[in-house]
């Protein structure tokens, strides 16, 4: 679904990412860990194609097609969706209009809104005056409506209280069809038959691992991937010994 080869990214002339290699197969969900400023957001913004993130070396492939230099709207149309770490407020457009743009008239807006406890927000301007948890739910609402094949989530649980983490975790698990609670109830055949999106989730707190059956974890340190492996083991190691240990240890 996603393949990144030897990616090097500069912002404003400064090296931010170096020699990033990553592969996410169809139906897989991966977690991305790393200290503040290590380049996690930069990686997601580069995959999505935001301007200012200059790819100076390497390639990005999505569904076997090279997308390194194509515009963001084409990437979105091909099936990549991103939820921001810090989404903007948008004046002059309400949530219902935004969701209609995202889902191109498909899917029931009101049913989705109720699932995310956002029914009362449909006629409000996007994110304007929303609380931290409401903003994160608004982001997931837009992703749910877009229904992409690759879902990029930048710290979906940051600034969210525990009660809302439960709601958000459940929705992300469902979006990725990797809900820890219901996943085990399905047979392998059923999982294969369904259209299961791929996911790359940046998580700082690791809470998301309680809700989503994540296949692989990666650690980004100082712009380079220093570890790839079992996400729960990696997270346990980070909690116990800190990120520095990731440089020393190899799974
Ligand atoms: P993370 O998400 O891991 O916290 P970021 O990808 O946001 O890290 O940032 C990585 C580095 O890139 C940081 O040092 C940050 O200051 C720098 N950076 C990000 N955006 C810009 C920018 N527009 N101009 C200059 N430096 C930037
Ligand atoms: Mg970030």
């Amino acid at each position: 679904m996603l393949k990144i080869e030897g990616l090097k990214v500069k912002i404003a002339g400064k090296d931010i990412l170096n020699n990033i290699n990553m592969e996410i197969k169809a139906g897989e969900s991966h977690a991305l860990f790393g200290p503040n400023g290590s380049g996690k957001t930069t990686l997601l913004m580069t995959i999505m194609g935001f301007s200012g993130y200059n790819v100076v070396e390497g390639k990005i492939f999505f569904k076997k097609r090279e997308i390194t230099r194509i515009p963001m709207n084409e990437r979105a149309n091909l099936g990549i969706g991103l939820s921001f770490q810090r989404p903007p407020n948008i004046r002059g457009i309400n949530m219902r209009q935004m969701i209609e743009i995202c889902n191109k008239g498909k899917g029931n807006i009101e049913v989705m809104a109720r699932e995310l406890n956002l029914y009362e927000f449909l006629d409000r301007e996007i994110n304007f005056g929303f609380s931290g948890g409401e903003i994160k739910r608004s982001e997931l609402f837009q992703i749910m409506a877009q229904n992409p094949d690759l879902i990029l989530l930048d710290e979906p649980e940051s600034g969210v209280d525990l009660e809302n983490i439960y709601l958000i975790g459940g929705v992300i698990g469902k979006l990725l069809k990797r809900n820890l609670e219901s996943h085990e109830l399905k047979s392998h055949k059923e999982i294969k038959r369904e259209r299961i999106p791929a996911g790359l989730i940046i998580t700082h707190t690791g809470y998301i691992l309680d809700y989503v059956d994540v296949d692989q974890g990666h650690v980004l340190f100082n712009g380079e991937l220093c570890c790839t492996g079992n996400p729960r083991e990696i997270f346990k190691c980070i909690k116990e010994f800190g990120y520095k240990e990731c440089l020393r240890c190899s799974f």
Side-chain angles (χ1 to χ4, degrees):
M1 184 65 65
L2 179 77
K3 194 166 187 189
I4 300 175
E5 287 177 357
L7 192 72
K8 180 177 174 133
V9 177
K10 285 189 183 214
I11 303 177
K14 190 176 140 202
D15 285 0
I16 308 290
L17 295 178
N18 242 313
N19 193 28
I20 303 289
N21 295 289
M22 187 184 276
E23 187 172 356
I24 304 181
K25 298 207 168 88
E28 282 185 357
S29 284
H30 292 207
L32 182 62
F33 307 105
N36 285 332
S38 56
K40 304 181 297 297
T41 296
T42 302
L43 180 59
L44 260 51
M45 299 298 260
T46 307
I47 297 169
M48 194 71 235
F50 279 82
S51 62
Y53 298 84
N54 299 314
V55 176
V56 288
E57 272 173 38
K59 288 178 179 172
I60 306 170
F61 297 90
F62 177 60
K63 296 182 193 166
K64 298 205 166 80
R65 179 185 163 170
E66 194 189 338
I67 59 160
T68 322
R69 315 252 163 227
I70 71 170
M72 178 168 20
N73 60 317
E74 282 182 34
R75 300 184 203 208
N77 281 331
L78 284 174
I80 306 180
L82 173 126
S83 98
F84 290 97
Q85 182 175 5
R86 291 187 214 91
N89 302 338
I90 307 174
R91 278 239 132 129
I93 174 163
N94 67 34
M95 187 168 267
R96 188 187 300 274
Q97 292 165 321
M98 182 62 128
I99 295 299
E100 280 168 0
I101 294 168
C102 293
N103 79 353
K104 297 181 175 159
K106 285 179 255 156
N108 190 322
I109 290 181
E110 295 184 359
V111 169
M112 287 189 284
R114 283 193 201 282
E115 193 171 340
L116 282 158
N117 262 343
L118 287 172
Y119 188 73
E120 283 77 32
F121 292 68
L122 283 172
D123 296 313
R124 281 177 59 176
E125 289 171 308
I126 294 285
N127 300 340
F128 212 86
F130 287 24
S131 72
E134 288 161 356
I135 286 183
K136 291 294 180 176
R137 267 150 49 209
S138 147
E139 284 292 283
L140 286 183
F141 192 7
Q142 291 164 58
I143 290 277
M144 199 188 261
Q146 187 193 346
N147 193 18
D149 296 321
L150 173 66
I151 299 177
L152 308 170
L153 302 172
D154 197 345
E155 297 199 24
E157 81 278 43
S158 72
V160 177
D161 61 53
L162 281 176
E163 209 171 303
N164 276 294
I165 283 182
Y166 178 76
L167 190 150
I168 281 179
V171 167
I172 293 174
K174 206 172 145 197
L175 266 177
L176 293 165
K177 301 208 169 90
R178 305 306 303 265
N179 202 313
L180 266 182
E181 286 155 23
S182 58
H183 185 62
E184 286 171 282
L185 301 175
K186 286 181 188 158
S187 72
H188 189 62
K189 257 191 184 163
E190 277 174 310
I191 292 165
K192 265 190 135 175
R193 213 183 309 126
E194 283 180 50
R195 186 187 143 262
I196 300 182
L200 181 57
I201 312 167
I202 298 178
T203 176
H204 211 62
T205 63
Y207 281 131
I208 260 2
L209 300 178
D210 294 340
Y211 300 93
V212 184
D213 191 4
V214 175
D215 301 277
Q216 261 193 53
H218 308 269
V219 181
L220 194 60
F221 197 98
N222 217 355
E224 294 191 34
L225 282 180
C226 63
C227 176
T228 289
N230 179 313
R232 285 175 184 81
E233 284 177 31
I234 292 177
F235 189 65
K236 190 167 165 264
C237 180
I238 294 168
K239 265 203 302 198
E240 273 178 40
F241 307 109
Y243 283 109
K244 286 238 156 65
E245 178 69 7
C246 299
L247 291 177
R248 208 187 56 78
C249 121
S250 61
F251 269 95

